[in-house]
């Protein structure tokens, strides 16, 4: 049976390959990336820096009243989740990723890994996922490939656990080697174009028990998903996008004018201009859905911060930074 269809069951799957022994071997790193579509590193991030970021999450959960103050494991106290901010908007608005990646030890690791300064794309997900309330549904949340929704931005996905994440807590699962083929998303099902059940064979899925200090780097076309949390505590992680600073980086800036045909942006480091939309532009709304061209002015406005990928003066992707 399709692994995503067994209600409440996380199927057995193989462990992720650990890449620590090839961290400084560029050829071996590239070979592993080409073969698997990811790198997984154990205990490479400064755990004190990770702990400072975790503390921000814990403080926020405490203020929301869903965990006891100073509970280091973020155990859910049973409070109603009716008004719980599942996207952790407060952390997003404070951009708490910035001081974390600016920590010298964190910067050094990613500079070493990329053999370049890291260019951080402010597409960040702050995950403080509570225990699942409905345990009759499938464990997989939403299988997807980030590249489908971000054409023209050749980033890598950086997923960082902030606390131990075992099979009960859920966490990340990815499909090894499945980054090589075409997109699996169903073009006949707009506006989200989901990947059909069964498109990823069960034998491709990989996971492990994650711990603070670990990091997973994924190819943007690697199918992956979160797994429903069946523990008694919140699942804490952050994922962000990164690429080498010398690469084909997107424009990050603010809209100065906008119509259904073009957008003008004032970008960082003088990267500004006006760029046209066409039928291939993926204008992404807050929920990932593709926005029709004639509806773009109702979703974005002058002053909004956006991420923009451009090819030959045409917009391939326009999206908010979250």
């Amino acid at each position: 049976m399709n692994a995503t269809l067994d209600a409440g069951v996380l199927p057995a799957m193989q462990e992720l390959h650990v890449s620590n022994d090839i961290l400084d071997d560029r050829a071996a790193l590239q070979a592993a990336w080409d073969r698997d579509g990811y790198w997984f590193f154990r205990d490479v991030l400064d755990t004190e820096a990770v702990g400072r970021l975790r503390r921000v999450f814990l403080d926020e959960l405490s203020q929301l009243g869903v965990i006891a103050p100073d509970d280091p494991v973020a155990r859910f106290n049973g409070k109603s989740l009716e008004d719980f901010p599942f996207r952790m908007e407060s952390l997003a608005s404070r951009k708490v990723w910035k001081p974390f990646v600016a920590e010298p030890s964190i910067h050094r690791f990613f500079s070493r890994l990329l053999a370049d300064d890291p260019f951080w794309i402010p597409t960040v997900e702050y995950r403080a996922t509570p225990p699942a309330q409905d345990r009759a549904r499938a464990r997989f949340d939403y299988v997807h490939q980030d590249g489908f929704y971000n054409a023209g931005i050749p980033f890598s996905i950086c997923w960082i656990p902030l606390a131990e994440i075992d099979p009960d807590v859920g966490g990340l699962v990815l499909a090894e080697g499945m980054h090589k083929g075409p997109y699996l998303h169903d073009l006949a099902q707009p506006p989200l174009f989901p990947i059909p059940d069964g498109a990823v064979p069960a034998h491709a899925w990989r996971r492990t028990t994650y711990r603070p200090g670990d990091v997973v780097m994924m190819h943007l076309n690697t199918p992956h998903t979160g797994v429903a949390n069946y523990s008694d505590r919140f699942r804490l992680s952050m994922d962000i996008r990164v690429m080498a600073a010398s690469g084909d980086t997107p424009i990050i800036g603010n809209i100065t004018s906008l119509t259904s045909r073009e957008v003008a942006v004032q970008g960082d480091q003088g990267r500004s201009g006006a760029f046209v939309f066409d039928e291939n532009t993926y204008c992404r709304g807050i929920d990932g859905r593709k926005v029709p061209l004639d509806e773009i002015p109702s979703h974005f406005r002058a002053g909004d911060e956006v991420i923009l990928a451009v090819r030959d003066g045409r917009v391939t992707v326009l999206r908010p930074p979250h």
Side-chain angles (χ1 to χ4, degrees):
M1 182 176 286
N2 187 308
T4 65
L5 298 181
D6 289 336
V9 176
L10 182 61
M13 58 187 75
Q14 295 184 46
E15 290 269 321
L16 296 170
H17 295 300
V18 179
S19 297
N20 289 52
D21 61 335
I22 60 172
L23 177 54
D24 294 309
D25 185 334
R26 304 309 304 175
L29 278 173
Q30 189 62 54
W33 188 260
D34 293 343
R35 181 189 68 232
D36 300 331
Y38 70 90
W39 297 315
F40 171 53
F41 299 102
R42 280 274 188 214
D43 194 28
V44 291
L45 298 184
D46 178 359
T47 54
E48 292 186 1
V50 173
R52 284 188 282 275
L53 181 58
R54 179 173 61 249
R55 181 74 258 169
V56 175
F57 278 63
L58 294 174
D59 288 346
E60 182 69 15
L61 292 173
S62 177
Q63 291 179 28
L64 291 168
V66 293
I67 66 171
D70 301 318
D71 178 3
V73 299
R75 188 172 289 106
F76 178 45
N77 63 14
K79 180 183 176 180
S80 171
L81 296 172
E82 183 178 356
D83 298 320
F84 184 76
F86 287 91
R87 295 184 66 87
M88 300 303 286
E89 285 83 357
S90 174
L91 300 185
S93 65
R94 291 157 55 192
K95 299 184 178 181
V96 301
W97 66 272
K98 283 192 170 184
F100 175 71
V101 301
E103 296 242 18
S105 59
I106 301 301
H107 181 80
R108 280 195 301 272
F109 171 76
F110 285 102
S111 297
R112 176 184 175 189
L113 176 62
L114 299 172
D116 199 342
D117 283 333
F119 179 92
W120 296 100
I121 298 169
T123 302
V124 187
E125 298 290 347
Y126 303 92
R127 312 280 185 181
T129 306
Q133 304 301 291
D134 176 8
R135 302 202 174 189
R137 67 180 184 84
R139 292 291 302 273
F140 286 9
D141 292 334
Y142 183 69
V143 179
H144 63 284
Q145 295 163 287
D146 277 32
F148 178 81
Y149 303 105
N150 296 278
I153 311 178
F155 58 71
S156 298
I157 306 160
C158 175
W159 185 84
I160 301 170
L162 305 181
E164 182 171 299
I165 299 177
D166 62 21
D168 285 341
V169 180
L172 172 73
V173 298
L174 61 83
E176 185 174 288
M178 294 289 292
H179 63 298
K180 303 173 187 177
Y183 288 128
L184 303 176
H185 290 263
D186 187 352
L187 297 179
Q189 293 194 59
L192 273 178
F193 310 99
I195 292 178
D197 285 336
V200 178
H203 67 77
W205 291 112
R206 302 287 186 272
R207 74 166 314 280
T208 192
T209 292
Y210 306 98
R211 300 180 180 87
D214 296 349
V215 61
V216 178
M217 301 288 292
M218 277 188 294
H219 191 284
L220 77 171
N221 291 339
T222 295
H224 62 283
T225 180
V227 175
N229 180 359
Y230 274 24
S231 75
D232 63 351
R233 58 195 183 276
F234 283 81
R235 182 176 80 232
L236 306 179
S237 67
M238 183 180 78
D239 52 274
I240 187 171
R241 282 72 184 146
V242 67
M243 56 189 299
S246 61
D248 185 15
T249 57
I251 298 171
I252 298 170
N254 297 91
I255 294 174
T256 56
S257 66
L258 178 74
T259 70
S260 61
R261 296 184 177 182
E262 71 172 24
V263 60
V265 176
Q266 179 67 47
D268 295 340
Q269 300 175 336
R271 300 178 66 192
S272 305
F275 310 97
V276 299
F277 301 126
D278 65 19
E279 65 277 6
N280 295 316
T281 298
Y282 199 110
C283 180
R284 175 174 169 152
I286 270 293
D287 58 1
R289 298 174 187 270
K290 185 175 183 179
V291 177
L293 294 181
D294 60 354
E295 295 180 17
I296 290 176
S298 65
H299 284 261
F300 295 88
R301 57 185 56 85
D304 285 353
E305 183 182 17
V306 292
I307 302 170
L308 190 75
V310 176
R311 183 171 299 144
D312 298 326
R314 298 178 300 104
V315 179
T316 59
V317 167
L318 174 70
R319 58 163 298 159
H322 46 72

